[in-house]
Short mmCIF file of all heavy atoms in Angstrom, two decimals:
data_model
loop_
_atom_site.label_atom_id
_atom_site.label_comp_id
_atom_site.label_asym_id
_atom_site.label_seq_id
_atom_site.Cartn_x
_atom_site.Cartn_y
_atom_site.Cartn_z
N ARG A 1 -17.75 2.81 -11.49
CA ARG A 1 -18.58 2.52 -12.68
C ARG A 1 -19.61 3.61 -12.91
O ARG A 1 -19.81 4.09 -14.04
CB ARG A 1 -19.27 1.17 -12.50
CG ARG A 1 -20.03 0.69 -13.74
CD ARG A 1 -21.48 1.19 -13.78
NE ARG A 1 -22.28 0.51 -12.79
CZ ARG A 1 -23.51 0.90 -12.43
NH1 ARG A 1 -24.04 2.01 -12.93
NH2 ARG A 1 -24.18 0.24 -11.52
N LYS A 2 -20.25 4.08 -11.84
CA LYS A 2 -21.26 5.12 -11.98
C LYS A 2 -20.62 6.43 -12.45
O LYS A 2 -21.24 7.19 -13.21
CB LYS A 2 -21.99 5.32 -10.65
CG LYS A 2 -22.76 4.09 -10.18
CD LYS A 2 -23.62 4.37 -8.96
CE LYS A 2 -24.82 5.22 -9.32
NZ LYS A 2 -25.79 5.34 -8.22
N LEU A 3 -19.41 6.70 -12.01
CA LEU A 3 -18.74 7.95 -12.39
C LEU A 3 -18.37 7.96 -13.87
O LEU A 3 -18.63 8.94 -14.58
CB LEU A 3 -17.51 8.16 -11.52
CG LEU A 3 -17.79 8.54 -10.07
CD1 LEU A 3 -16.51 8.45 -9.23
CD2 LEU A 3 -18.40 9.93 -9.94
N VAL A 4 -17.75 6.87 -14.37
CA VAL A 4 -17.38 6.86 -15.78
C VAL A 4 -18.64 6.80 -16.65
O VAL A 4 -18.66 7.35 -17.76
CB VAL A 4 -16.42 5.70 -16.13
CG1 VAL A 4 -15.11 5.84 -15.37
CG2 VAL A 4 -17.05 4.35 -15.87
N GLU A 5 -19.67 6.15 -16.15
CA GLU A 5 -20.94 6.10 -16.88
C GLU A 5 -21.53 7.50 -16.99
O GLU A 5 -22.24 7.81 -17.96
CB GLU A 5 -21.92 5.17 -16.16
CG GLU A 5 -23.17 4.82 -16.93
CD GLU A 5 -24.02 3.79 -16.20
OE1 GLU A 5 -24.03 3.80 -14.96
OE2 GLU A 5 -24.68 2.98 -16.88
N SER A 6 -21.22 8.37 -16.03
CA SER A 6 -21.73 9.73 -16.02
C SER A 6 -20.80 10.72 -16.72
O SER A 6 -21.06 11.92 -16.69
CB SER A 6 -21.97 10.18 -14.57
OG SER A 6 -22.91 9.34 -13.92
N GLY A 7 -19.71 10.22 -17.31
CA GLY A 7 -18.86 11.10 -18.10
C GLY A 7 -17.58 11.54 -17.45
O GLY A 7 -16.87 12.39 -18.01
N VAL A 8 -17.23 11.01 -16.25
CA VAL A 8 -15.95 11.35 -15.63
C VAL A 8 -14.82 10.70 -16.42
O VAL A 8 -14.91 9.54 -16.81
CB VAL A 8 -15.92 10.89 -14.15
CG1 VAL A 8 -14.54 11.10 -13.55
CG2 VAL A 8 -16.97 11.64 -13.35
N ARG A 9 -13.77 11.45 -16.65
CA ARG A 9 -12.70 10.98 -17.53
C ARG A 9 -11.78 9.96 -16.87
O ARG A 9 -11.40 8.96 -17.49
CB ARG A 9 -11.85 12.18 -17.98
CG ARG A 9 -10.73 11.85 -18.94
CD ARG A 9 -11.25 11.46 -20.31
NE ARG A 9 -11.88 12.60 -20.97
CZ ARG A 9 -12.54 12.51 -22.12
NH1 ARG A 9 -12.66 11.34 -22.72
NH2 ARG A 9 -13.08 13.59 -22.67
N PHE A 10 -11.38 10.19 -15.61
CA PHE A 10 -10.35 9.35 -14.98
C PHE A 10 -10.71 9.14 -13.51
O PHE A 10 -10.92 10.09 -12.76
CB PHE A 10 -8.99 10.05 -15.08
CG PHE A 10 -7.80 9.15 -14.85
CD1 PHE A 10 -7.12 8.59 -15.91
CD2 PHE A 10 -7.36 8.86 -13.56
CE1 PHE A 10 -6.01 7.77 -15.71
CE2 PHE A 10 -6.27 8.04 -13.34
CZ PHE A 10 -5.58 7.49 -14.42
N VAL A 11 -10.80 7.87 -13.12
CA VAL A 11 -11.10 7.50 -11.73
C VAL A 11 -9.99 6.60 -11.24
O VAL A 11 -9.62 5.62 -11.89
CB VAL A 11 -12.45 6.77 -11.61
CG1 VAL A 11 -12.73 6.42 -10.14
CG2 VAL A 11 -13.58 7.62 -12.18
N GLN A 12 -9.45 6.91 -10.07
CA GLN A 12 -8.40 6.08 -9.49
C GLN A 12 -8.84 5.56 -8.13
O GLN A 12 -9.33 6.32 -7.29
CB GLN A 12 -7.09 6.86 -9.35
CG GLN A 12 -5.91 5.98 -8.94
CD GLN A 12 -4.58 6.71 -8.99
OE1 GLN A 12 -4.50 7.88 -8.62
NE2 GLN A 12 -3.54 6.04 -9.44
N ILE A 13 -8.67 4.24 -7.91
CA ILE A 13 -9.05 3.59 -6.66
C ILE A 13 -7.80 3.01 -6.00
O ILE A 13 -6.99 2.36 -6.67
CB ILE A 13 -10.07 2.46 -6.90
CG1 ILE A 13 -11.26 2.96 -7.72
CG2 ILE A 13 -10.56 1.91 -5.56
CD1 ILE A 13 -12.26 1.87 -8.06
N TYR A 14 -7.66 3.24 -4.71
CA TYR A 14 -6.51 2.74 -3.97
C TYR A 14 -6.91 1.58 -3.06
O TYR A 14 -7.98 1.60 -2.44
CB TYR A 14 -5.87 3.84 -3.12
CG TYR A 14 -5.02 4.79 -3.92
CD1 TYR A 14 -5.59 5.85 -4.61
CD2 TYR A 14 -3.64 4.62 -3.98
CE1 TYR A 14 -4.80 6.72 -5.36
CE2 TYR A 14 -2.84 5.48 -4.72
CZ TYR A 14 -3.43 6.53 -5.41
OH TYR A 14 -2.65 7.38 -6.15
N ALA A 15 -6.03 0.58 -2.98
CA ALA A 15 -6.19 -0.53 -2.04
C ALA A 15 -4.81 -0.86 -1.49
O ALA A 15 -3.94 -1.34 -2.22
CB ALA A 15 -6.80 -1.75 -2.72
N ALA A 16 -4.58 -0.59 -0.22
CA ALA A 16 -3.26 -0.77 0.39
C ALA A 16 -3.16 -2.14 1.06
O ALA A 16 -4.07 -2.96 0.99
CB ALA A 16 -3.01 0.35 1.40
N GLY A 17 -2.02 -2.38 1.72
CA GLY A 17 -1.84 -3.59 2.50
C GLY A 17 -1.09 -4.71 1.80
O GLY A 17 -1.03 -5.83 2.30
N TRP A 18 -0.44 -4.41 0.65
CA TRP A 18 0.24 -5.46 -0.11
C TRP A 18 1.72 -5.59 0.26
O TRP A 18 2.44 -6.39 -0.33
CB TRP A 18 0.13 -5.15 -1.60
CG TRP A 18 -1.28 -5.22 -2.14
CD1 TRP A 18 -2.17 -4.19 -2.20
CD2 TRP A 18 -1.94 -6.37 -2.67
NE1 TRP A 18 -3.36 -4.63 -2.75
CE2 TRP A 18 -3.25 -5.97 -3.05
CE3 TRP A 18 -1.56 -7.70 -2.88
CZ2 TRP A 18 -4.17 -6.84 -3.62
CZ3 TRP A 18 -2.48 -8.57 -3.44
CH2 TRP A 18 -3.76 -8.14 -3.81
N ASP A 19 2.20 -4.85 1.24
CA ASP A 19 3.62 -4.85 1.60
C ASP A 19 3.94 -6.01 2.55
O ASP A 19 4.07 -5.82 3.75
CB ASP A 19 3.98 -3.50 2.23
CG ASP A 19 5.47 -3.31 2.39
OD1 ASP A 19 6.23 -3.99 1.66
OD2 ASP A 19 5.88 -2.48 3.21
N SER A 20 4.10 -7.19 1.98
CA SER A 20 4.16 -8.42 2.78
C SER A 20 5.58 -8.92 2.97
O SER A 20 6.03 -9.87 2.33
CB SER A 20 3.30 -9.51 2.13
OG SER A 20 1.96 -9.09 2.01
N HIS A 21 6.31 -8.30 3.89
CA HIS A 21 7.64 -8.78 4.25
C HIS A 21 7.54 -10.01 5.15
O HIS A 21 8.45 -10.85 5.19
CB HIS A 21 8.43 -7.69 4.97
CG HIS A 21 8.78 -6.53 4.10
ND1 HIS A 21 9.86 -6.53 3.25
CD2 HIS A 21 8.17 -5.32 3.94
CE1 HIS A 21 9.92 -5.37 2.60
NE2 HIS A 21 8.91 -4.62 3.01
N ASP A 22 6.46 -10.08 5.91
CA ASP A 22 6.20 -11.22 6.80
C ASP A 22 4.76 -11.70 6.56
O ASP A 22 3.93 -10.98 6.03
CB ASP A 22 6.35 -10.81 8.26
CG ASP A 22 7.72 -10.23 8.57
OD1 ASP A 22 8.64 -11.02 8.76
OD2 ASP A 22 7.84 -8.99 8.61
N PHE A 23 4.49 -12.93 6.99
CA PHE A 23 3.12 -13.45 6.97
C PHE A 23 2.48 -13.29 5.59
O PHE A 23 1.35 -12.85 5.45
CB PHE A 23 2.28 -12.75 8.04
CG PHE A 23 2.91 -12.73 9.39
CD1 PHE A 23 3.38 -11.54 9.94
CD2 PHE A 23 3.10 -13.90 10.11
CE1 PHE A 23 3.99 -11.51 11.18
CE2 PHE A 23 3.70 -13.89 11.36
CZ PHE A 23 4.16 -12.69 11.89
N LEU A 24 3.25 -13.66 4.57
CA LEU A 24 2.80 -13.52 3.18
C LEU A 24 1.48 -14.23 2.93
O LEU A 24 0.57 -13.67 2.31
CB LEU A 24 3.88 -14.07 2.25
CG LEU A 24 3.52 -14.18 0.77
CD1 LEU A 24 3.39 -12.79 0.17
CD2 LEU A 24 4.60 -14.97 0.02
N GLU A 25 1.37 -15.46 3.42
CA GLU A 25 0.16 -16.25 3.15
C GLU A 25 -1.07 -15.56 3.71
O GLU A 25 -2.09 -15.43 3.02
CB GLU A 25 0.30 -17.64 3.75
CG GLU A 25 -0.92 -18.53 3.49
CD GLU A 25 -0.71 -19.95 3.94
OE1 GLU A 25 0.29 -20.22 4.65
OE2 GLU A 25 -1.55 -20.81 3.60
N ARG A 26 -1.00 -15.08 4.93
CA ARG A 26 -2.15 -14.45 5.56
C ARG A 26 -2.49 -13.10 4.93
O ARG A 26 -3.65 -12.82 4.60
CB ARG A 26 -1.89 -14.27 7.05
CG ARG A 26 -3.07 -13.69 7.82
CD ARG A 26 -2.75 -13.61 9.31
NE ARG A 26 -1.71 -12.61 9.58
CZ ARG A 26 -1.10 -12.47 10.76
NH1 ARG A 26 -1.40 -13.30 11.76
NH2 ARG A 26 -0.18 -11.54 10.95
N SER A 27 -1.45 -12.27 4.73
CA SER A 27 -1.72 -10.90 4.27
C SER A 27 -2.14 -10.87 2.81
O SER A 27 -3.09 -10.17 2.45
CB SER A 27 -0.49 -10.02 4.49
OG SER A 27 0.64 -10.54 3.80
N HIS A 28 -1.46 -11.59 1.95
CA HIS A 28 -1.82 -11.56 0.53
C HIS A 28 -3.16 -12.25 0.28
O HIS A 28 -3.92 -11.83 -0.60
CB HIS A 28 -0.71 -12.20 -0.31
CG HIS A 28 0.16 -11.19 -1.01
ND1 HIS A 28 0.73 -10.13 -0.36
CD2 HIS A 28 0.53 -11.06 -2.32
CE1 HIS A 28 1.43 -9.41 -1.23
NE2 HIS A 28 1.32 -9.95 -2.42
N LYS A 29 -3.44 -13.29 1.05
CA LYS A 29 -4.75 -13.93 0.91
C LYS A 29 -5.86 -12.94 1.24
O LYS A 29 -6.85 -12.83 0.49
CB LYS A 29 -4.84 -15.14 1.85
CG LYS A 29 -6.21 -15.81 1.87
CD LYS A 29 -6.24 -16.97 2.86
CE LYS A 29 -7.63 -17.59 2.94
NZ LYS A 29 -7.67 -18.71 3.93
N ALA A 30 -5.70 -12.19 2.33
CA ALA A 30 -6.71 -11.21 2.72
C ALA A 30 -6.86 -10.12 1.68
O ALA A 30 -7.97 -9.68 1.36
CB ALA A 30 -6.34 -10.60 4.07
N ARG A 31 -5.74 -9.67 1.12
CA ARG A 31 -5.79 -8.61 0.10
C ARG A 31 -6.49 -9.10 -1.16
O ARG A 31 -7.31 -8.39 -1.74
CB ARG A 31 -4.37 -8.14 -0.24
CG ARG A 31 -3.68 -7.32 0.83
CD ARG A 31 -4.37 -5.97 1.06
NE ARG A 31 -5.52 -6.09 1.92
CZ ARG A 31 -6.58 -5.30 1.86
NH1 ARG A 31 -6.67 -4.35 0.97
NH2 ARG A 31 -7.60 -5.47 2.69
N MET A 32 -6.16 -10.29 -1.60
CA MET A 32 -6.80 -10.83 -2.81
C MET A 32 -8.29 -11.01 -2.60
O MET A 32 -9.11 -10.69 -3.47
CB MET A 32 -6.13 -12.15 -3.22
CG MET A 32 -4.79 -11.95 -3.89
SD MET A 32 -4.08 -13.47 -4.55
CE MET A 32 -3.14 -14.06 -3.15
N GLN A 33 -8.67 -11.53 -1.44
CA GLN A 33 -10.09 -11.75 -1.19
C GLN A 33 -10.86 -10.44 -1.06
O GLN A 33 -12.05 -10.39 -1.34
CB GLN A 33 -10.25 -12.60 0.06
CG GLN A 33 -9.79 -14.03 -0.12
CD GLN A 33 -9.92 -14.87 1.14
OE1 GLN A 33 -9.97 -14.35 2.26
NE2 GLN A 33 -9.96 -16.18 0.97
N ALA A 34 -10.18 -9.37 -0.67
CA ALA A 34 -10.85 -8.07 -0.53
C ALA A 34 -11.15 -7.43 -1.89
O ALA A 34 -12.13 -6.70 -2.03
CB ALA A 34 -10.00 -7.13 0.32
N VAL A 35 -10.30 -7.68 -2.88
CA VAL A 35 -10.47 -7.00 -4.17
C VAL A 35 -11.00 -7.91 -5.27
O VAL A 35 -11.49 -7.42 -6.30
CB VAL A 35 -9.14 -6.37 -4.64
CG1 VAL A 35 -8.59 -5.41 -3.58
CG2 VAL A 35 -8.09 -7.42 -5.01
N ASP A 36 -10.93 -9.21 -5.08
CA ASP A 36 -11.28 -10.17 -6.13
C ASP A 36 -12.72 -9.99 -6.64
O ASP A 36 -12.95 -9.74 -7.83
CB ASP A 36 -11.07 -11.59 -5.60
CG ASP A 36 -11.53 -12.67 -6.57
OD1 ASP A 36 -11.29 -12.51 -7.78
OD2 ASP A 36 -12.13 -13.67 -6.11
N GLN A 37 -13.68 -10.11 -5.77
CA GLN A 37 -15.08 -10.02 -6.19
C GLN A 37 -15.44 -8.64 -6.74
O GLN A 37 -16.07 -8.55 -7.80
CB GLN A 37 -16.01 -10.39 -5.02
CG GLN A 37 -17.48 -10.36 -5.38
CD GLN A 37 -18.38 -10.79 -4.22
OE1 GLN A 37 -17.91 -11.37 -3.25
NE2 GLN A 37 -19.66 -10.49 -4.32
N PRO A 38 -15.06 -7.54 -6.07
CA PRO A 38 -15.40 -6.22 -6.62
C PRO A 38 -14.81 -5.95 -8.00
O PRO A 38 -15.48 -5.37 -8.87
CB PRO A 38 -14.84 -5.26 -5.57
CG PRO A 38 -14.85 -6.04 -4.29
CD PRO A 38 -14.48 -7.43 -4.71
N ILE A 39 -13.56 -6.37 -8.24
CA ILE A 39 -12.95 -6.11 -9.54
C ILE A 39 -13.63 -6.93 -10.62
O ILE A 39 -13.91 -6.42 -11.72
CB ILE A 39 -11.44 -6.40 -9.50
CG1 ILE A 39 -10.72 -5.38 -8.61
CG2 ILE A 39 -10.85 -6.35 -10.90
CD1 ILE A 39 -9.24 -5.67 -8.42
N ALA A 40 -13.91 -8.20 -10.33
CA ALA A 40 -14.62 -9.02 -11.31
C ALA A 40 -16.00 -8.44 -11.60
O ALA A 40 -16.44 -8.40 -12.76
CB ALA A 40 -14.76 -10.45 -10.77
N ALA A 41 -16.67 -7.94 -10.56
CA ALA A 41 -17.98 -7.32 -10.75
C ALA A 41 -17.87 -6.07 -11.62
O ALA A 41 -18.72 -5.83 -12.49
CB ALA A 41 -18.59 -6.97 -9.40
#
């Protein structure tokens, strides 16, 4: 947010860990909870 506010054209953010072949409930829950609040903010 601070970068685009300062005039940066393109910002890309990475969040890994979504490759859930096993333990879908645990892994996807953790991934969603990690990004949910920051993205809404």
Side-chain angles (χ1 to χ4, degrees):
R1 187 271 288 168
K2 298 187 72 171
L3 289 168
V4 298
E5 191 175 33
S6 300
V8 173
R9 182 70 67 187
F10 197 97
V11 180
Q12 188 172 39
I13 308 176
Y14 282 83
W18 294 90
D19 191 22
S20 301
H21 293 278
D22 303 279
F23 311 110
L24 173 69
E25 181 174 11
R26 183 177 68 190
S27 59
H28 258 50
K29 175 182 177 181
R31 288 295 81 209
M32 284 187 270
Q33 291 179 338
V35 304
D36 174 41
Q37 182 177 345
I39 292 175

